[in-house]
Amino acid sequence: QVTLVESGGGSVQPGGSLRLSCAASRSTYNTFNLYDMSWFRQNSGKEREMVAVISGAGNQRNYADSVKGRFSISRDNAKLTVTLQMNDLKSEDTAMYYCKAKSPWGTTEYWGQGTQVTVSS
């Protein structure tokens, strides 16, 4: 079982920045580097969409077209954390942001509880 806890959300004006963090439970201490980690977001009435994904070793990253050049995903396997640096935020980035861990041993996925990001003037 993997528990994920997101933090770092809040309210910011357009053009501003936020840094989201996702901390995995200590149970992943020896295996965290095997999990692909992702950030998703969801607005009410819309489907959850992938924002960014990073491989277990951290050497492969992919981003949604809507955030390329503005968001950056990184991880620290020693600290069991994944970070999403969000710059030049736009109103359309407003959403609940979720961290996801994909098990390397099958199809199991683990989700955090989410952190709210609001971009408004």
Side-chain angles (χ1 to χ4, degrees), residues 51-114:
V51 175
V53 58
I54 187 168
S55 60
N59 56 345
Q60 295 181 18
R61 297 171 174 86
N62 280 303
Y63 299 92
D65 288 342
S66 58
V67 306
K68 282 180 180 176
R70 300 187 298 122
F71 290 12
S72 178
I73 189 171
S74 61
R75 65 190 296 160
D76 186 332
N77 287 339
K79 295 182 178 179
L80 312 183
T81 59
V82 179
T83 298
L84 184 69
Q85 177 66 43
M86 306 186 297
N87 298 325
D88 189 23
L89 283 160
K90 306 176 187 298
S91 58
E92 52 263 41
D93 295 318
T94 295
M96 184 71 78
Y97 283 72
Y98 298 90
C99 179
K100 186 190 85 170
K102 183 178 182 302
S103 171
W105 297 286
T107 59
T108 302
E109 297 177 342
Y110 303 94
W111 292 86
Q113 83 290 348

Side-chain angles (χ1 to χ4, degrees), residues 3-60:
T3 301
L4 302 173
V5 179
E6 301 97 333
S7 61
S11 295
V12 65
Q13 292 185 341
S17 298
L18 281 174
R19 187 178 180 90
L20 305 183
S21 292
C22 172
S25 51
R26 293 283 295 175
S27 61
T28 64
Y29 182 75
N30 291 320
T31 58
F32 185 70
N33 63 337
L34 301 179
Y35 288 79
D36 289 346
M37 300 296 296
S38 305
W39 285 96
F40 281 71
R41 65 186 182 189
Q42 186 172 25
N43 260 322
S44 57
K46 294 186 178 181
E47 291 187 1
R48 193 171 292 190
E49 64 171 347
M50 189 277 291
V51 175
V53 58
I54 187 168
S55 60
N59 56 345
Q60 295 181 18

